[in-house]
Amino acid sequence: MSSLNQDIIVADPLLIIESDAGFAELMCSTLNACGHSCRKGTCGQDAFEWLATNSASLIILDYSLPDMSGSSFIEKIRTLGIEIPFVMVTASNDAGLAVAMMKSGACDFIIKDASFLDRLPAVVARALQEQKTLRQLQSAEMSLRLSETRLARAQKIARMGSWEWNLASGDIYWSDELYRIFGLPVGLPETITIDWLHTLINPLDLVAFKKAARNAIRGGSALDINYRIVSGDDGEIVVNSQGEIEYDESGNACLLSGTTLDITARIKAESEIQQLINYDSLTGLPNRSLLHDRLHLAIAQASREKQLLAVLMLDLDRFKDINETMGHRAGDKLLKAVAKRLQVCLRDSDTLARLGGDEYVAILIDVSHEEGITTVAKKILAVVSEPFYIDGTEIFSTCSIGIAVYPMDGEDSHTLLKHADLAMYQAKGADRNVFQFFSREMNNLALERMMMENSMRRGLERGEFFLVYQPQVDGRTGKIFGMEALIRWRHPDMGMLAPDRFISLAEGNGLIIPLGEWVLRTACHQNKAWQDQGFPPVRVAVNLSAKQLGQYHLDEVVAATLLETGLDPEWLELELTESVIMKDAEQNAVLLKKFKEMGISLAIDDFGTGYSSLSYLKNFPITRLKIDRSFVRDITTNPDDAAIARIIIDIAHSLNLSVIAEGVETRAQMQFLSFNNCVEMQGYLFSRPVPAEEFTELLRNGLKV
Ligand code: C2E
Ligand code: MG
Ligand code: MG
């Protein structure tokens, strides 16, 4: 492009295309004087060639070129995709041409007249300025559009939506991504209200959500809350919303805006990580690390509540053999099955962990004495020694348990675990399938209890138990109208034992059931024997414990006993304490009704010491109240006791019940009771509980009072 002046190369020159070279030179120097740099060309073709590799900020175009018209030049550079603004220059003063050129995109139109060169710089400056403004606008628009797409893309990638809540109008705006997160078609519903939003939130999280929003709006604190929402296809997802308040000029909160992020995957990953960190992958039980945490917490709680806490360290006996003979997979199955059985022995509040291998640890909390621990340990030994069925094979296994008790055997988790472990090795050394306490005292207590249990079992077989009978007397006449059967144990080593030495033990180990049945049978049998011997019939009262009431079909046991011994039900009375009845009031009401229908009397033992509510008396078919010994003892000296005794007597009479006083030892007591209309009495004043042979004498000869 020879005719173009190439001596100055700047980024942004003006391109003058003018057929008249002299005129072009004039234009060029005028514009140069105003600080522009210019290129000149005299025909269209030259200009195209130059524009193929260069750019101009503005074209000043002569309409009549030697090789083409101005409009065909414009058309041509358009088809080449060149977007350069241009100002038309023409000699003819033609308004029609001017309009046509402006329509085809010219910035301006300038006529070659006398003042042309004076006007040229202003026209060029205006065109360039317009161009600049246009570019700025375009670029602003472009960057806005770009940042919008970027934001939308970022939101999509992050599963994050944005929102605005206009607090004055209540209008809520959601970004497209937010609809997607909520599993809704974008833009639907069109109007979002806060009430509608509430319906999407899991009801369990709604209160917290509302509270967080309220705190943000009223208190100005930043909103930051996780909550679950019911989402279209995926069911429930977890989101995190963060937002900030904006205020108007008067300082009122006007807008709450922020972002909502789908954190379902993160939460899931976190909980999976927690699971990996804290749980044993084979059994799903807490692992060593979580065990330490739990033990730590349990110790703090036990110390606060002044309770004991037991750590049971458990190891399967001969697990190695099983693993070797049956393979690791069978071994794994066994470990899982053991875990399941162990869990059954524990309460929900206890912790069962697996330390690895065949070692488990149980933490028992809320234990008040050694007995509770022993019971669990025995249960564990029992369930583990039941056969397992693994892959169709019966496997027999046992375990050894070492027990350390807080606070005696250690006050921190480390010591307790160490001592439980030591005790466990002792247990293994001594004998398998046993448990061993770390401390000697605990061991002795447990041993004593077990020995007692064994000797009780033996005692039952060998007939070491026997009954004594205490007469129940009409205080006015001194006549025996009944008797209470009370148990005694002639222990081969310990001598005569009263019931308080063994009844609660028997309740704990379940022996109360056979023992209670034996008492019932013996008492009924004896009573029938006296009748058969010709003595006028008198009623026999038998004490029942709570465990017996809970026994399945106690009514049938009683009925069978009466049938077996031939005693008429009217001569049997069952004694229950208030607390025993109330322990399972609904079920007992049914049971007691059955007794009543059978014709058996029911007495409330130790009346006045248990429940203060008397309403239950109406709901149970009771025949007799027994005023507790403790009130009778000071009845003549303590006005309170006297008052209580009087009230009990009144209650009994008004409910049409019989009333008997226990523990009557003196004449004064007898007189007080008689005076207050309680004529039935039982106590040392009349007779101590005596063996059957002696009672026969009482029946024969009467009482000597
Ligand atoms: P309980 O049913 O209230 O029996 C009355 C207790 O008071 C008996 O004590 C009796 O010997 C004692 N006693 C009687 N008169 C007097 C007296 O004038 N003064 C004093 N200080 N005591 C008197 P025992 O035989 O030692 O029985 C204690 C408790 O053991 C009984 O209280 C009863 O709850 C329970 N028990 C006794 N035998 C059996 C039984 O066969 N089965 C069940 N489940 N519990 C029984
Ligand atoms: Mg009694
Ligand atoms: Mg009593």
Side-chain angles (χ1 to χ4, degrees):
M1 95 176 282
S2 56
S3 55
L4 281 172
N5 182 349
Q6 295 199 13
D7 45 15
I8 319 162
I9 308 287
V10 286
D12 192 347
L14 305 176
L15 174 59
I16 297 166
I17 309 171
E18 170 57 60
S19 46
D20 180 339
F23 197 67
E25 187 55 47
L26 272 176
M27 283 164 75
C28 191
S29 53
T30 308
L31 291 170
N32 281 348
C34 299
H36 298 289
S37 62
C38 302
R39 301 283 178 278
K40 297 187 301 275
T42 47
C43 68
Q45 195 49 46
D46 282 353
F48 288 143
E49 279 167 25
W50 187 82
L51 281 171
T53 50
N54 296 281
S55 181
S57 56
L58 185 73
I59 300 173
I60 300 161
L61 179 64
D62 186 4
Y63 189 75
S64 1
L65 296 174
D67 52 347
M68 62 185 73
S69 74
S71 30
S72 36
F73 177 86
I74 296 299
E75 231 166 77
K76 185 132 188 229
I77 60 165
R78 289 258 163 83
T79 57
L80 293 173
I82 298 169
E83 291 275 347
I84 299 174
F86 59 94
V87 173
M88 290 307 300
V89 179
T90 177
S92 59
N93 185 0
D94 184 343
L97 182 65
V99 171
M101 291 315 296
M102 295 295 274
K103 270 190 182 162
S104 69
C107 304
D108 213 340
F109 185 88
I110 182 166
I111 300 159
K112 252 189 244 173
D113 59 8
S115 59
F116 174 82
L117 287 176
D118 298 336
R119 283 183 288 119
L120 181 63
V123 169
V124 166
R126 198 173 57 228
L128 287 173
Q129 182 56 47
E130 262 176 21
Q131 203 47 42
K132 196 174 154 196
T133 315
L134 189 69
R135 281 224 189 86
Q136 278 172 342
L137 259 175
Q138 278 173 344
S139 113
E141 206 172 278
M142 181 104 98
S143 64
L144 182 67
R145 217 170 291 138
L146 203 68
S147 69
E148 272 176 356
T149 19
R150 269 200 208 117
L151 182 66
R153 201 182 305 135
Q155 289 198 351
K156 201 166 179 179
I157 292 169
R159 289 280 274 160
M160 177 195 269
S162 54
W163 46 266
E164 280 181 8
W165 179 11
N166 183 323
L167 299 174
S169 66
D171 290 344
I172 294 179
Y173 156 81
W174 273 16
S175 74
D176 292 354
E177 188 55 27
L178 196 47
Y179 283 98
R180 280 186 214 114
I181 290 175
F182 275 60
L184 299 167
V186 172
L188 278 178
E190 266 175 60
T191 2
I192 298 169
T193 62
I194 193 69
D195 288 337
W196 173 78
L197 180 58
H198 287 165
T199 64
L200 301 183
I201 297 174
N202 183 318
L204 295 173
D205 297 342
L206 190 56
V207 173
F209 177 86
K210 286 181 178 173
K211 194 174 161 204
R214 208 167 39 236
N215 286 349
I217 295 167
R218 298 217 189 116
S221 57
L223 178 81
D224 187 353
I225 182 169
N226 295 352
Y227 53 97
R228 288 161 292 177
I229 53 164
V230 189
S231 164
D233 311 328
D234 306 334
E236 197 167 64
I237 65 165
V238 191
V239 295
N240 167 266
S241 282
Q242 298 195 5
E244 277 182 2
I245 282 287
E246 281 171 37
Y247 298 90
D248 59 18
E249 309 82 55
S250 17
N252 297 321
C254 62
L255 188 79
L256 179 59
S257 64
T259 54
T260 293
L261 185 65
D262 181 354
I263 55 168
T264 314
R266 192 181 87 201
I267 297 274
K268 196 164 158 256
E270 276 170 4
S271 71
E272 275 165 11
I273 289 169
Q274 281 307 312
Q275 182 76 22
L276 279 176
I277 293 176
N278 289 322
Y279 293 88
D280 166 43
S281 55
L282 179 68
T283 58
L285 294 178
N287 61 15
R288 191 183 290 270
S289 132
L290 186 56
L291 170 73
H292 272 282
D293 283 358
R294 294 262 179 97
L295 187 50
H296 205 71
L297 287 177
I299 289 171
Q301 188 189 336
S303 128
R304 237 184 358 257
E305 288 168 11
K306 305 263 171 299
Q307 284 276 16
L308 301 181
L309 174 160
V311 176
L312 275 62
M313 178 81 69
L314 206 142
D315 188 285
L316 292 184
D317 301 327
R318 285 183 290 268
F319 177 70
K320 242 182 81 193
D321 299 348
I322 294 167
N323 231 355
E324 277 166 13
T325 52
M326 294 196 56
H328 286 270
R329 289 182 80 178
D332 282 357
K333 283 184 187 168
L334 178 64
L335 290 175
K336 275 203 231 179
V338 169
K340 256 197 198 141
R341 287 196 191 172
L342 293 179
Q343 256 158 341
V344 175
C345 303
L346 304 175
R347 292 170 302 177
D348 287 346
S349 49
D350 297 335
T351 292
L352 177 67
R354 178 167 170 246
L355 290 192
D358 57 347
E359 272 190 341
Y360 302 82
V361 170
I363 307 172
L364 314 185
I365 60 164
D366 237 0
V367 273
S368 47
H369 46 75
E370 159 276 332
E371 193 189 351
I373 307 168
T374 310
T375 309
V376 175
K378 279 189 349 199
K379 231 198 265 175
I380 290 179
L381 293 178
V383 299
V384 174
S385 60
E386 288 287 314
F388 289 89
Y389 296 93
I390 307 284
D391 297 337
T393 311
E394 199 175 36
I395 297 181
F396 288 92
S397 179
T398 52
C399 67
S400 305
I401 305 173
I403 306 170
V405 182
Y406 167 90
M408 302 81 127
D409 302 341
E411 298 201 2
D412 60 90
S413 58
H414 187 75
T415 315
L416 284 170
L417 283 168
K418 194 175 78 190
H419 287 171
D421 200 41
L422 278 171
M424 198 263 293
Y425 275 97
Q426 260 180 309
K428 270 215 188 305
D431 206 346
R432 285 157 194 247
N433 200 29
V434 292
F435 62 87
Q436 169 94 34
F437 280 93
F438 175 74
S439 79
R440 185 166 300 149
E441 306 91 272
M442 278 287 184
N443 240 2
N444 288 348
L445 263 177
L447 264 176
E448 194 180 298
R449 185 178 299 281
M450 282 201 299
M451 273 165 52
M452 196 67 168
E453 188 183 323
N454 284 339
S455 63
M456 199 184 290
R457 219 179 280 279
R458 246 194 346 258
L460 247 172
E461 286 163 15
R462 295 183 187 171
E464 291 168 8
F465 293 94
F466 67 101
L467 292 185
V468 288
Y469 300 88
Q470 186 173 37
Q472 297 180 330
V473 183
D474 184 325
R476 292 166 304 190
T477 59
K479 260 189 75 182
I480 298 173
F481 67 88
M483 66 188 81
E484 179 175 8
L486 296 157
I487 193 166
R488 298 289 180 266
W489 183 5
R490 200 181 291 111
H491 193 281
D493 309 320
M494 292 188 272
M496 192 72 79
L497 298 179
D500 57 349
R501 291 287 301 278
F502 58 88
I503 287 288
S504 73
L505 187 66
E507 282 175 335
N509 61 29
L511 280 176
I512 191 70
I513 302 293
L515 199 62
E517 285 179 14
W518 176 84
V519 170
L520 186 70
R521 196 175 334 108
T522 310
C524 292
H525 184 79
Q526 181 60 60
N527 197 285
K528 181 68 167 64
W530 280 318
Q531 289 181 18
D532 290 347
Q533 285 167 37
F535 293 111
V538 290
R539 205 177 39 237
V540 63
V542 172
N543 294 283
L544 289 183
S545 92
K547 282 275 155 58
Q548 286 174 279
L549 248 65
Q551 186 194 5
Y552 224 45
H553 305 314
L554 180 64
D555 53 328
E556 287 171 15
V557 172
V558 172
T561 307
L562 288 171
L563 203 67
E564 180 196 325
T565 56
L567 184 71
D568 194 296
E570 77 170 290
W571 304 115
L572 177 63
E573 180 162 276
L574 298 174
E575 288 193 9
L576 305 146
T577 62
E578 291 165 275
S579 53
V580 165
I581 293 183
M582 297 310 286
K583 204 171 157 220
D584 199 347
E586 263 173 50
Q587 200 183 311
N588 287 340
V590 177
L591 183 68
L592 299 196
K593 209 166 143 251
K594 283 187 183 153
F595 287 143
K596 185 75 178 184
E597 283 163 4
M598 286 159 67
I600 296 167
S601 329
L602 297 166
I604 307 245
D605 208 349
D606 307 342
F607 190 79
T609 57
Y611 278 69
S612 42
S613 154
L614 297 169
S615 60
Y616 77 91
L617 284 179
K618 288 195 209 136
N619 300 329
F620 294 102
I622 306 296
T623 359
R624 176 174 278 105
L625 302 184
K626 295 189 81 177
I627 305 173
D628 189 64
R629 255 200 341 261
S630 60
F631 304 118
V632 175
R633 193 178 56 220
D634 300 325
I635 210 167
T636 54
T637 50
N638 184 333
D640 289 342
D641 287 348
I644 291 171
R646 266 198 222 102
I647 290 169
I648 296 175
I649 295 165
D650 280 352
I651 290 170
H653 288 158
S654 64
L655 289 174
N656 242 343
L657 305 177
S658 304
V659 56
I660 184 168
E662 291 184 305
V664 180
E665 294 183 356
T666 66
R667 279 188 176 277
Q669 289 165 343
M670 179 182 80
Q671 276 155 4
F672 177 96
L673 289 160
S674 297
F675 182 77
N676 284 286
N677 296 319
C678 173
V679 294
E680 299 184 355
M681 298 174 208
Q682 179 182 342
Y684 294 170
L685 176 66
F686 308 100
S687 167
R688 290 191 171 256
V690 293
E693 310 77 63
E694 271 183 58
F695 202 91
T696 311
E697 289 309 304
L698 294 180
L699 285 176
R700 184 169 295 133
N701 304 324
L703 291 162
K704 298 182 198 79
V705 188

